[in-house]
């Protein structure tokens, strides 16, 4: 497999503008002749569908929910980054670029990240134009707050509901195009296969989640914007519908999967409360602006927090990282929370929690100010835990929140399969080995509003695509294969539920591929996943009918994909014998327990190629070349 990033030559600052100029164009009259399938209606998919339709393409837009506005982007809380420099603290496009590259531990493409930083200011302007109500200062300028990994305030926000407000802005644009006929909307569809004709992606096979019907849809190009795969861990902060199936189908049809071991552990999540939970709840990183993280100095101290005096508290992030304090990147904050708990200094009934304390901020600014900033987050915490964070510190612990790995794409956002594009959280593109807070929303909107509309035109303008519709044999074959897979699942009639097996998979992933990984543990994980996958196909019980609404079947075929994907994730972690960002190999750490990269052997993207059923996948590499940034050991001290 050839991995050509298609990054243009020349100075970093001018690459994207020059590349846009050089791209071949599709004239307005010809755009009406092209159909494009966009899978997903979150910030990346929804913005892409609306923008492509506005340009004149006919767009078929698919979502798994009953409404586009229920996409998981709605759950994002804290904010979106841009280098407007409204606070006057010296921010710039280059600063945003550098912080993002460094935050990702130098494991992302320079050119992609710089383009992201360039587009960020235009994203804010565009979102304001679509009605997004960003918070404002008294004088009228947009308010900014700080997020991890930066020493400037560049995060735009709408209280703790930024994702919701951004998605409503996108949804308004999408609804307009649906009304005009430019977008044909297909809700409650699960994309389960990609159809390839003459080497190019020409359509999808989906399951109608209401009727159970298998459907085929054709187009001139296919765009995946289906989000990340963090639910392979079962417990995560993602929505229950989030899955890897569309990207996994693309992988099996020739689209390489990049860096699957790059998973993000968010340091501020509500702790696990029991075996009955099906998901976890995020507490926004923005809370670390005013909340102070601490544990008791003494091991096994079970006193209530108000009974522990200041001189017996360890504000460990402030102590270890005085320059950044509580606003270190997520991977650093998470590992330090785990370390404190492993030392026996964790709090709460399980000892797997640390305090996030707002006492000082409330005393300094008053409860009304804190309520105005974080009121909905405090209310959410109170409802879930029955503890009032205005009166007692929050108890938090790291949890799976995001993934930096995903489908490999080039500078055009096209995969290794011609005509198949991938956007936002579903691709691997911009965040390296650790995503900085408030940059996922930035990437989704950059890809959908400001990158894909140019690059997909460059693809369509240079192709001679033969007419293809759903009567083509490739669609018939794909439908047949999917029906056989579903029937096989329905006919096992074993004794274990889908959720029971998924929980076991999640524990394997968390125990061996979580915040800390090692050679022996990863080899154990691979063996356990293989055994669990074999048991799944012999002993799972999928009830109901495949010809009707059946959520057990939905979870069943998604778990079948996770049981294959989980092994790939563990293999990727095993072969990347270094620590970088969220991928922490215990064998590769500094004397101060920080991630220690191996730039000589692993300064590359690992892109996995499907080799066929029952065969080991092939590991391909794309070297990462740094022309503007010097590779150094990350330090936030």
């Amino acid at each position: 497999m050839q991995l050509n990033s298609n990054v243009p030559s020349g100075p970093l600052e001018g690459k994207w503008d020059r590349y846009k100029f050089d791209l071949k164009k599709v004239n307005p009259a010809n755009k009406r002749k092209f159909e494009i399938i966009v899978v997903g209606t979150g910030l990346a998919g929804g913005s892409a569908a609306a923008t492509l339709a506005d340009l004149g393409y006919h767009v078929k837009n698919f979502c798994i929910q009953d409404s586009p506005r229920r996409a998981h982007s709605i759950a994002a809380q804290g904010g979106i980054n841009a280098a407007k420099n409204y606070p006057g603290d010296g921010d710039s496009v280059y600063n945003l670029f550098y912080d993002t590259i460094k935050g990702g531990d130098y494991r992302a493409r320079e050119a992609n990240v710089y383009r992201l930083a360039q587009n960020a200011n235009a994203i804010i302007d565009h979102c304001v134009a679509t009605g997004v109500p960003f918070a404002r200062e008294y004088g009228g300028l947009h308010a900014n707050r700080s997020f991890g990994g930066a020493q400037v305030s560049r995060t735009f926000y709408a209280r703790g509901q930024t994702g919701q407000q951004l998605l409503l802005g996108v949804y308004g644009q999408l609804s307009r195009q649906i009304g005009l006929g430019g977008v044909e909307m297909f809700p409650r569809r699960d994309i389960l296969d990609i159809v390839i004709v003459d080497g190019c992606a020409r359509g999808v096979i989906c399951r109608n989640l209401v009727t159970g019907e298998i459907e085929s849809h054709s187009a001139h190009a296919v765009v995946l914007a289906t989000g990340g795969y963090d639910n392979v861990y079962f417990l995560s902060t993602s929505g229950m519908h989030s899955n890897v199936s569309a990207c996994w189908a693309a992988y099996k049809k020739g689209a390489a999967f990049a860096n699957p071991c790059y998973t993000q552990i968010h340091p501020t999540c509500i702790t696990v409360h029991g075996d009955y939970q099906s998901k976890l709840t995020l507490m926004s990183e923005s809370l670390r602006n005013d909340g102070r993280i601490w544990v008791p100095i003494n091991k096994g101290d079970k006193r209530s927090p108000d009974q522990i005096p200041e001189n017996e508290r360890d504000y460990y992030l402030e102590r270890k990282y005085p320059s950044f304090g509580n606003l270190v990147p997520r991977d650093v904050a998470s590992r330090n929370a785990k370390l404190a708990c492993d030392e026996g200094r964790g709090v709460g009934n399980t000892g797997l929690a640390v305090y996030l304390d707002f006492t000082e901020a409330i005393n300094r600014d008053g409860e009304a100010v804190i309520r105005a900033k974080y009121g909905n987050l405090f209310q959410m915490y109170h409802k879930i835990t029955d503890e009032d964070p205005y009166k007692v510190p929050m108890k938090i612990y790291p949890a799976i929140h995001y993934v930096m790995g995903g489908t490999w794409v080039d500078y055009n956002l096209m995969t290794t399969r011609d005509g198949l594009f991938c956007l936002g959280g579903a691709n691997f593109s911009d965040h390296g080995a650790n995503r900085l807070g408030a940059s996922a929303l930035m990437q989704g909107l950059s890809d959908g509003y400001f990158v894909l509309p140019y690059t997909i035109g460059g693809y369509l303008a240079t192709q001679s695509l033969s007419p293809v519709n759903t009567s083509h044999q490739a669609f018939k074959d794909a439908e047949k294969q999917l029906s056989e897979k579903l029937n096989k699942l329905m006919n096992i009639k074993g004794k274990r539920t889908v959720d029971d097996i998924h929980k076991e998979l999640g524990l394997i992933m968390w125990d061996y591929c979580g915040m800390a990984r090692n050679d022996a543990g990863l080899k154990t994980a691979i063996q356990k996943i293989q055994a669990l996958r074999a048991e799944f196909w012999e002993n799972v019980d999928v009830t109901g009918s495949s010809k009707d609404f059946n959520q057990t079947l939905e979870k069943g075929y998604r778990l079948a994909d996770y049981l294959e994907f989980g092994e790939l994730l563990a293999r990727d972690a095993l072969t990347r014998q270094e620590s970088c960002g969220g991928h922490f190999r215990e064998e590769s750490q500094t004397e101060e327990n920080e991630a220690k990269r191996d730039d000589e052997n692993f300064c590359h993207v690992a892109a996995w190629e499907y080799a066929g059923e029952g065969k080991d996948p092939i590991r391909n590499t794309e070297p990462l070349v740094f022309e503007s940034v010097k590779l150094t050991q990350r330090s936030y001290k």
Side-chain angles (χ1 to χ4, degrees):
M1 176 179 284
Q2 292 293 112
L3 297 175
N4 183 359
S5 67
N6 288 311
V7 171
S9 59
L12 184 66
E13 294 80 1
K15 286 182 187 290
W16 177 231
D17 288 338
R18 188 174 60 258
Y19 192 71
K20 285 189 293 184
F21 175 79
D22 291 339
L23 277 170
K24 298 293 184 182
K25 310 292 190 296
V26 179
N27 78 53
N30 285 340
K31 287 187 175 86
R32 292 190 289 268
K33 300 176 183 178
F34 290 107
E35 287 189 329
I36 300 172
I37 286 173
V38 177
V39 184
T41 58
L43 294 185
S47 62
T51 306
L52 291 171
D54 198 40
L55 289 171
Y57 298 105
H58 179 69
V59 178
K60 298 176 181 177
N61 197 191
F62 295 78
C63 72
I64 205 168
Q65 304 87 0
D66 59 346
S67 166
R69 68 174 181 268
R70 293 186 186 273
H72 188 61
S73 297
I74 203 169
Q77 297 171 355
I80 177 171
N81 288 330
K84 289 282 194 179
N85 195 32
Y86 286 157
D89 51 5
D91 203 8
S92 66
V93 169
Y94 191 87
N95 277 356
L96 174 54
F97 153 73
Y98 181 79
D99 286 345
T100 306
I101 280 280
K102 178 184 175 183
D105 216 353
Y106 306 98
R107 288 295 178 261
R109 280 193 207 122
E110 270 192 343
N112 288 58
V113 178
Y114 194 86
R115 177 174 65 186
L116 176 65
Q118 275 181 304
N119 287 340
N121 288 351
I123 292 169
I124 300 301
D125 294 339
H126 188 79
C127 290
V128 171
T130 61
V132 176
F134 288 121
R136 293 181 183 266
E137 302 286 4
Y138 180 78
L141 285 178
H142 287 116
N144 286 158
R145 59 189 177 197
S146 300
F147 260 59
Q151 291 181 306
V152 297
S153 295
R154 64 162 65 104
T155 303
F156 293 74
Y157 63 96
R159 293 187 77 183
Q161 307 166 345
T162 312
Q164 180 191 60
Q165 298 305 317
L166 289 171
L167 188 61
L168 289 174
V170 167
Y171 179 63
Q173 301 302 298
L174 182 62
S175 296
R176 174 174 175 268
Q177 290 301 328
I178 294 171
L180 292 172
V183 173
E184 188 177 359
M185 194 69 229
F186 295 89
R188 303 295 284 149
R189 276 14 181 240
D190 216 350
I191 305 300
L192 298 177
D193 206 356
I194 311 296
V195 178
I196 308 300
V197 177
D198 297 329
C200 299
R202 295 302 304 270
V204 297
I205 308 297
C206 65
R207 180 173 181 270
N208 185 315
L209 297 181
V210 177
T211 67
E213 182 183 357
I214 304 299
E215 301 174 354
S216 291
H217 299 271
S218 63
H220 295 92
V222 176
V223 179
L224 299 181
T226 53
Y229 49 81
D230 29 344
N231 277 345
V232 68
Y233 289 83
F234 187 72
L235 286 179
S236 81
T237 65
S238 284
M240 295 294 290
H241 275 309
S242 299
N243 64 83
V244 76
S245 291
C247 288
W248 196 243
Y251 164 74
K252 290 189 171 183
K253 289 298 178 71
F257 209 105
N259 300 334
C261 75
Y262 289 170
T263 55
Q264 178 155 88
I265 317 290
H266 198 293
T268 53
C269 298
I270 297 178
T271 57
V272 176
H273 281 80
D275 295 337
Y276 52 83
Q277 282 183 262
S278 57
K279 75 179 301 295
L280 298 173
T281 304
L282 172 72
M283 287 285 102
S284 169
E285 182 168 320
S286 62
L287 294 173
R288 290 196 271 151
N289 276 274
D290 289 299
R292 302 179 69 192
I293 295 174
W294 65 274
V295 293
I297 287 178
N298 300 316
K299 296 180 180 180
D301 192 335
K302 296 302 181 183
R303 288 177 291 174
S304 62
D306 62 314
Q307 297 299 312
I308 302 176
E310 280 290 317
N311 63 355
E312 295 183 32
R313 298 180 179 189
D314 181 13
Y315 296 91
Y316 55 87
L317 293 179
E318 298 173 27
R319 172 174 56 83
K320 291 183 176 181
Y321 310 97
S323 294
F324 284 78
N326 292 296
L327 286 172
V328 292
R330 293 172 176 178
D331 61 315
V332 177
S334 294
R335 279 196 294 274
N336 277 276
K338 180 181 185 296
L339 183 61
C341 293
D342 288 349
E343 291 172 346
R345 298 191 293 143
V347 301
N349 294 332
T350 63
L352 293 176
V354 299
Y355 288 127
L356 181 60
D357 194 339
F358 294 87
T359 304
E360 181 181 292
I362 292 171
N363 291 338
R364 181 187 67 233
D365 299 331
E367 184 176 315
V369 171
I370 300 302
R371 192 179 296 275
K373 288 182 179 180
Y374 313 117
N376 67 305
L377 299 172
F378 278 46
Q379 181 188 38
M380 189 189 311
Y381 182 89
H382 196 172
K383 283 190 172 184
I384 292 173
T385 67
D386 198 28
E387 294 181 352
D388 185 353
Y390 293 104
K391 298 177 181 178
V392 296
M394 290 182 178
K395 291 193 283 285
I396 56 163
Y397 193 70
I400 294 289
H401 171 62
Y402 188 84
V403 292
M404 288 71 66
T407 301
W408 185 93
V409 292
D410 65 7
Y411 194 66
N412 299 304
L413 303 181
M414 190 160 75
T415 70
T416 50
R417 176 59 73 184
D418 286 351
L420 180 62
F421 295 78
C422 191
L423 314 184
N427 74 32
F428 88 105
S429 176
D430 293 352
H431 306 299
N434 175 68
R435 178 175 69 79
L436 290 187
S439 55
L441 307 184
M442 179 172 60
Q443 186 208 352
L445 292 175
S446 175
D447 287 356
Y449 276 142
F450 296 110
V451 179
L452 182 78
Y454 294 100
T455 60
I456 201 168
Y459 167 77
L460 293 171
T462 57
Q463 300 298 307
S464 298
L465 298 171
S466 58
V468 168
N469 58 40
T470 55
S471 64
H472 193 282
Q473 187 61 39
F475 286 89
K476 305 298 182 186
D477 292 343
E479 283 188 20
K480 181 182 178 184
Q481 290 173 7
L482 178 58
S483 295
E484 289 173 351
K485 178 181 178 180
L486 298 183
N487 288 335
K488 182 180 178 180
L489 264 176
M490 296 299 303
N491 290 326
I492 296 171
K493 301 188 184 307
K495 295 183 179 180
R496 294 189 66 180
T497 66
V498 174
D499 280 350
D500 185 40
I501 296 176
H502 197 169
K503 284 181 181 179
E504 184 174 344
L505 173 64
L507 281 173
I508 294 170
M509 301 304 297
W510 180 251
D511 289 344
Y512 300 106
C513 306
M515 279 190 280
R517 303 157 178 184
N518 58 58
D519 185 86
L522 291 166
K523 289 176 179 176
T524 298
I526 292 171
Q527 294 171 354
K528 286 179 174 289
I529 293 168
Q530 290 172 342
L532 186 63
R533 184 168 66 241
E535 182 179 2
F536 170 86
W537 285 107
E538 294 174 1
N539 199 31
V540 73
D541 183 22
V542 179
T543 56
S545 167
S546 64
K547 306 298 183 183
D548 202 351
F549 178 77
N550 189 340
Q551 290 183 307
T552 303
L553 177 58
E554 293 172 36
K555 290 192 279 189
Y557 55 67
R558 291 171 197 157
L559 178 56
D561 293 334
Y562 274 138
L563 284 163
E564 295 177 356
F565 171 75
E567 182 180 342
L568 183 69
L569 191 160
R571 282 181 181 274
D572 189 46
L574 181 64
T575 55
R576 185 169 285 278
Q577 296 173 0
E578 65 161 354
S579 292
C580 53
H583 170 61
F584 189 74
R585 286 288 297 262
E586 293 174 341
E587 306 94 333
S588 182
Q589 54 184 304
T590 68
E591 293 180 358
E592 297 174 318
N593 305 116
E594 304 290 354
K596 184 179 179 181
R597 297 194 319 271
D598 179 356
D599 293 331
E600 183 177 351
N601 296 303
F602 292 99
C603 190
H604 58 242
V605 177
W608 293 86
E609 177 185 356
Y610 183 64
E613 196 74 32
K615 297 180 180 179
D616 289 344
I618 301 167
R619 189 179 191 268
N620 302 280
T621 61
E622 175 204 336
L624 291 170
V625 180
F626 293 91
E627 300 172 349
S628 297
V629 172
K630 182 181 179 181
L631 294 176
T632 61
Q633 174 67 38
R634 278 194 318 173
S635 174
Y636 291 95
K637 294 187 180 298

